[in-house]
Short mmCIF file of all heavy atoms in Angstrom, two decimals:
data_model
loop_
_atom_site.label_atom_id
_atom_site.label_comp_id
_atom_site.label_asym_id
_atom_site.label_seq_id
_atom_site.Cartn_x
_atom_site.Cartn_y
_atom_site.Cartn_z
N ASN A 369 7.89 119.15 116.02
CA ASN A 369 8.87 120.18 115.68
C ASN A 369 10.13 120.03 116.53
O ASN A 369 10.10 119.42 117.61
CB ASN A 369 8.28 121.57 115.89
CG ASN A 369 7.16 121.87 114.93
OD1 ASN A 369 7.08 121.27 113.85
ND2 ASN A 369 6.28 122.79 115.30
N ILE A 370 11.22 120.58 116.06
CA ILE A 370 12.49 120.54 116.81
C ILE A 370 12.34 121.37 118.07
O ILE A 370 11.89 122.52 118.03
CB ILE A 370 13.64 121.08 115.94
CG1 ILE A 370 13.80 120.21 114.69
CG2 ILE A 370 14.93 121.13 116.72
CD1 ILE A 370 14.80 120.74 113.71
N PHE A 371 12.69 120.76 119.20
CA PHE A 371 12.56 121.40 120.52
C PHE A 371 11.11 121.77 120.82
O PHE A 371 10.85 122.62 121.68
CB PHE A 371 13.44 122.66 120.62
CG PHE A 371 14.91 122.39 120.48
CD1 PHE A 371 15.72 123.28 119.80
CD2 PHE A 371 15.50 121.25 121.02
CE1 PHE A 371 17.09 123.05 119.67
CE2 PHE A 371 16.86 121.01 120.90
CZ PHE A 371 17.65 121.91 120.21
N ASP A 372 10.16 121.18 120.08
CA ASP A 372 8.73 121.45 120.26
C ASP A 372 8.39 122.93 120.14
O ASP A 372 7.52 123.46 120.84
CB ASP A 372 8.25 120.92 121.63
CG ASP A 372 8.31 119.40 121.71
OD1 ASP A 372 8.06 118.74 120.67
OD2 ASP A 372 8.64 118.87 122.79
N VAL A 373 9.07 123.61 119.24
CA VAL A 373 8.81 125.04 119.04
C VAL A 373 7.50 125.20 118.27
O VAL A 373 7.02 124.27 117.62
CB VAL A 373 9.97 125.70 118.26
CG1 VAL A 373 11.26 125.61 119.04
CG2 VAL A 373 10.13 125.06 116.88
N PRO A 374 6.91 126.39 118.31
CA PRO A 374 5.68 126.64 117.53
C PRO A 374 5.94 126.48 116.03
O PRO A 374 7.08 126.57 115.57
CB PRO A 374 5.32 128.09 117.89
CG PRO A 374 6.01 128.34 119.19
CD PRO A 374 7.25 127.52 119.17
N ASP A 375 4.87 126.27 115.28
CA ASP A 375 5.00 126.06 113.84
C ASP A 375 5.64 127.26 113.13
O ASP A 375 6.40 127.07 112.17
CB ASP A 375 3.62 125.80 113.22
CG ASP A 375 3.06 124.45 113.63
OD1 ASP A 375 3.85 123.58 114.09
OD2 ASP A 375 1.83 124.25 113.50
N SER A 376 5.37 128.46 113.61
CA SER A 376 5.95 129.65 112.98
C SER A 376 7.48 129.66 113.12
O SER A 376 8.20 130.03 112.19
CB SER A 376 5.35 130.92 113.59
OG SER A 376 5.58 130.95 115.00
N VAL A 377 7.95 129.24 114.30
CA VAL A 377 9.39 129.18 114.52
C VAL A 377 9.99 128.04 113.69
O VAL A 377 11.08 128.18 113.11
CB VAL A 377 9.71 128.98 116.02
CG1 VAL A 377 11.22 128.86 116.23
CG2 VAL A 377 9.17 130.14 116.83
N GLN A 378 9.27 126.92 113.61
CA GLN A 378 9.77 125.80 112.81
C GLN A 378 9.87 126.18 111.34
O GLN A 378 10.80 125.76 110.64
CB GLN A 378 8.84 124.60 112.98
CG GLN A 378 9.33 123.34 112.26
CD GLN A 378 10.70 122.89 112.74
OE1 GLN A 378 10.91 122.69 113.93
NE2 GLN A 378 11.64 122.75 111.82
N GLU A 379 8.94 126.98 110.87
CA GLU A 379 9.00 127.46 109.48
C GLU A 379 10.27 128.28 109.26
O GLU A 379 10.88 128.22 108.18
CB GLU A 379 7.76 128.30 109.16
CG GLU A 379 6.48 127.49 108.98
CD GLU A 379 6.57 126.53 107.81
OE1 GLU A 379 7.20 126.89 106.80
OE2 GLU A 379 6.01 125.43 107.90
N PHE A 380 10.65 129.03 110.29
CA PHE A 380 11.91 129.80 110.19
C PHE A 380 13.11 128.85 110.13
O PHE A 380 14.03 129.08 109.34
CB PHE A 380 12.04 130.74 111.39
CG PHE A 380 13.34 131.46 111.46
CD1 PHE A 380 13.65 132.49 110.57
CD2 PHE A 380 14.30 131.11 112.41
CE1 PHE A 380 14.86 133.15 110.63
CE2 PHE A 380 15.51 131.77 112.48
CZ PHE A 380 15.79 132.79 111.58
N PHE A 381 13.08 127.79 110.94
CA PHE A 381 14.16 126.80 110.88
C PHE A 381 14.26 126.17 109.48
O PHE A 381 15.35 125.90 108.99
CB PHE A 381 13.94 125.69 111.91
CG PHE A 381 14.09 126.13 113.35
CD1 PHE A 381 13.68 125.30 114.38
CD2 PHE A 381 14.64 127.36 113.66
CE1 PHE A 381 13.83 125.69 115.70
CE2 PHE A 381 14.78 127.76 114.99
CZ PHE A 381 14.37 126.93 116.01
N ASN A 382 13.10 125.96 108.87
CA ASN A 382 13.06 125.27 107.57
C ASN A 382 13.63 126.12 106.43
O ASN A 382 13.87 125.59 105.34
CB ASN A 382 11.63 124.87 107.23
CG ASN A 382 11.06 123.82 108.19
OD1 ASN A 382 11.81 123.21 108.96
ND2 ASN A 382 9.76 123.62 108.16
N THR A 383 13.81 127.41 106.64
CA THR A 383 14.33 128.27 105.57
C THR A 383 15.77 127.97 105.22
O THR A 383 16.25 128.37 104.15
CB THR A 383 14.21 129.75 105.97
OG1 THR A 383 15.01 129.99 107.15
CG2 THR A 383 12.76 130.13 106.25
N GLY A 384 16.50 127.31 106.12
CA GLY A 384 17.92 127.02 105.88
C GLY A 384 18.84 128.14 106.31
O GLY A 384 20.06 128.06 106.10
N LEU A 385 18.29 129.19 106.93
CA LEU A 385 19.11 130.32 107.34
C LEU A 385 20.11 129.92 108.43
O LEU A 385 21.23 130.43 108.46
CB LEU A 385 18.22 131.46 107.85
CG LEU A 385 18.92 132.76 108.24
CD1 LEU A 385 19.67 133.34 107.06
CD2 LEU A 385 17.93 133.77 108.80
N LEU A 386 19.73 128.99 109.30
CA LEU A 386 20.63 128.57 110.37
C LEU A 386 21.85 127.87 109.78
O LEU A 386 22.99 128.11 110.22
CB LEU A 386 19.91 127.63 111.35
CG LEU A 386 18.64 128.17 112.01
CD1 LEU A 386 18.14 127.19 113.05
CD2 LEU A 386 18.88 129.53 112.64
N GLY A 387 21.63 127.03 108.80
CA GLY A 387 22.76 126.37 108.15
C GLY A 387 23.65 127.35 107.41
O GLY A 387 24.88 127.21 107.40
N ALA A 388 23.04 128.35 106.79
CA ALA A 388 23.82 129.37 106.09
C ALA A 388 24.70 130.14 107.06
O ALA A 388 25.86 130.48 106.75
CB ALA A 388 22.89 130.33 105.35
N LEU A 389 24.17 130.41 108.25
CA LEU A 389 24.95 131.13 109.26
C LEU A 389 26.13 130.28 109.74
O LEU A 389 27.25 130.79 109.94
CB LEU A 389 24.05 131.51 110.44
CG LEU A 389 24.64 132.47 111.47
CD1 LEU A 389 24.97 133.81 110.81
CD2 LEU A 389 23.67 132.70 112.62
N ILE A 390 25.91 128.98 109.91
CA ILE A 390 26.98 128.07 110.33
C ILE A 390 28.11 128.07 109.31
O ILE A 390 29.29 128.26 109.66
CB ILE A 390 26.44 126.64 110.53
CG1 ILE A 390 25.54 126.58 111.76
CG2 ILE A 390 27.60 125.65 110.69
CD1 ILE A 390 24.85 125.24 111.94
N THR A 391 27.77 127.88 108.04
CA THR A 391 28.81 127.81 107.02
C THR A 391 29.51 129.16 106.83
O THR A 391 30.70 129.20 106.54
CB THR A 391 28.21 127.34 105.68
OG1 THR A 391 27.09 128.18 105.34
CG2 THR A 391 27.72 125.91 105.80
N THR A 392 28.76 130.24 106.98
CA THR A 392 29.36 131.57 106.82
C THR A 392 30.42 131.82 107.87
O THR A 392 31.53 132.31 107.57
CB THR A 392 28.28 132.66 106.89
OG1 THR A 392 27.34 132.47 105.83
CG2 THR A 392 28.92 134.05 106.75
N ILE A 393 30.11 131.48 109.12
CA ILE A 393 31.05 131.77 110.22
C ILE A 393 32.15 130.71 110.30
O ILE A 393 33.34 131.03 110.32
CB ILE A 393 30.30 131.85 111.57
CG1 ILE A 393 29.32 133.03 111.56
CG2 ILE A 393 31.28 131.98 112.73
CD1 ILE A 393 28.48 133.13 112.83
N VAL A 394 31.75 129.43 110.34
CA VAL A 394 32.69 128.35 110.61
C VAL A 394 33.50 127.95 109.37
O VAL A 394 34.69 127.62 109.48
CB VAL A 394 31.96 127.12 111.18
CG1 VAL A 394 32.92 125.97 111.44
CG2 VAL A 394 31.23 127.51 112.47
N ALA A 395 32.86 127.97 108.20
CA ALA A 395 33.53 127.49 106.99
C ALA A 395 34.00 128.60 106.08
O ALA A 395 34.45 128.32 104.97
CB ALA A 395 32.59 126.57 106.22
N SER A 396 33.91 129.85 106.50
CA SER A 396 34.32 130.94 105.62
C SER A 396 35.05 132.05 106.37
O SER A 396 36.27 132.17 106.29
CB SER A 396 33.09 131.51 104.89
OG SER A 396 33.46 132.54 104.01
N ILE A 397 34.31 132.87 107.11
CA ILE A 397 34.89 134.09 107.67
C ILE A 397 36.02 133.79 108.64
O ILE A 397 37.06 134.46 108.62
CB ILE A 397 33.79 134.92 108.37
CG1 ILE A 397 32.75 135.37 107.35
CG2 ILE A 397 34.40 136.12 109.07
CD1 ILE A 397 31.59 136.13 107.95
N THR A 398 35.85 132.78 109.50
CA THR A 398 36.89 132.46 110.48
C THR A 398 38.21 132.14 109.79
O THR A 398 39.28 132.64 110.17
CB THR A 398 36.44 131.26 111.35
OG1 THR A 398 35.24 131.61 112.02
CG2 THR A 398 37.52 130.91 112.36
N TRP A 399 38.15 131.30 108.76
CA TRP A 399 39.36 130.92 108.03
C TRP A 399 39.97 132.11 107.30
O TRP A 399 41.19 132.26 107.24
CB TRP A 399 39.03 129.81 107.04
CG TRP A 399 38.67 128.51 107.68
CD1 TRP A 399 37.46 128.18 108.24
CD2 TRP A 399 39.50 127.36 107.84
NE1 TRP A 399 37.49 126.90 108.72
CE2 TRP A 399 38.73 126.37 108.50
CE3 TRP A 399 40.82 127.06 107.48
CZ2 TRP A 399 39.25 125.12 108.80
CZ3 TRP A 399 41.33 125.81 107.78
CH2 TRP A 399 40.55 124.85 108.43
N GLN A 400 39.13 132.96 106.75
CA GLN A 400 39.63 134.13 106.04
C GLN A 400 40.37 135.09 106.97
O GLN A 400 41.42 135.64 106.61
CB GLN A 400 38.48 134.87 105.35
CG GLN A 400 37.86 134.12 104.20
CD GLN A 400 36.68 134.85 103.60
OE1 GLN A 400 36.33 135.95 104.02
NE2 GLN A 400 36.03 134.24 102.62
N LEU A 401 39.83 135.28 108.17
CA LEU A 401 40.48 136.17 109.14
C LEU A 401 41.84 135.64 109.55
O LEU A 401 42.82 136.39 109.66
CB LEU A 401 39.58 136.34 110.37
CG LEU A 401 38.28 137.13 110.16
CD1 LEU A 401 37.44 137.11 111.43
CD2 LEU A 401 38.58 138.56 109.76
N VAL A 402 41.91 134.33 109.78
CA VAL A 402 43.19 133.73 110.17
C VAL A 402 44.20 133.84 109.03
O VAL A 402 45.37 134.18 109.23
CB VAL A 402 42.99 132.26 110.58
CG1 VAL A 402 44.34 131.60 110.87
CG2 VAL A 402 42.09 132.16 111.82
N ALA A 403 43.75 133.56 107.81
CA ALA A 403 44.67 133.62 106.65
C ALA A 403 45.16 135.03 106.39
O ALA A 403 46.30 135.23 105.96
CB ALA A 403 43.97 133.07 105.41
N SER A 404 44.31 136.03 106.63
CA SER A 404 44.75 137.41 106.41
C SER A 404 45.82 137.82 107.40
O SER A 404 46.67 138.66 107.10
CB SER A 404 43.54 138.35 106.52
OG SER A 404 43.02 138.37 107.84
N ALA A 405 45.80 137.21 108.59
CA ALA A 405 46.81 137.53 109.61
C ALA A 405 48.07 136.68 109.46
O ALA A 405 49.17 137.14 109.75
CB ALA A 405 46.22 137.33 111.00
N PHE A 406 47.93 135.44 108.96
CA PHE A 406 49.07 134.53 108.85
C PHE A 406 49.12 133.89 107.46
O PHE A 406 49.00 132.66 107.33
CB PHE A 406 48.99 133.43 109.92
CG PHE A 406 48.76 133.95 111.32
CD1 PHE A 406 47.52 133.83 111.92
CD2 PHE A 406 49.79 134.56 112.02
CE1 PHE A 406 47.30 134.30 113.20
CE2 PHE A 406 49.58 135.04 113.31
CZ PHE A 406 48.34 134.91 113.90
N PRO A 407 49.27 134.66 106.40
CA PRO A 407 49.26 134.07 105.04
C PRO A 407 50.41 133.11 104.79
O PRO A 407 50.23 132.08 104.14
CB PRO A 407 49.34 135.30 104.12
CG PRO A 407 49.96 136.38 104.96
CD PRO A 407 49.48 136.12 106.35
N LEU A 408 51.60 133.42 105.30
CA LEU A 408 52.76 132.56 105.06
C LEU A 408 52.62 131.22 105.76
O LEU A 408 53.14 130.21 105.28
CB LEU A 408 54.04 133.26 105.50
CG LEU A 408 54.43 134.51 104.70
CD1 LEU A 408 55.71 135.12 105.25
CD2 LEU A 408 54.58 134.18 103.23
N ALA A 409 51.91 131.20 106.88
CA ALA A 409 51.69 129.93 107.58
C ALA A 409 50.86 128.98 106.74
O ALA A 409 51.08 127.77 106.73
CB ALA A 409 51.01 130.19 108.92
#
Side-chain angles (χ1 to χ4, degrees):
N369 293 337
I370 299 174
F371 298 142
D372 293 325
V373 297
D375 290 342
S376 58
V377 177
Q378 184 59 54
E379 287 297 325
F380 174 72
F381 291 168
N382 294 347
T383 62
L385 184 60
L386 303 186
L389 190 62
I390 290 174
T391 54
T392 299
I393 296 177
V394 179
S396 181
I397 297 177
T398 300
W399 292 79
Q400 291 177 2
L401 291 175
V402 175
S404 66
F406 309 105
L408 294 180

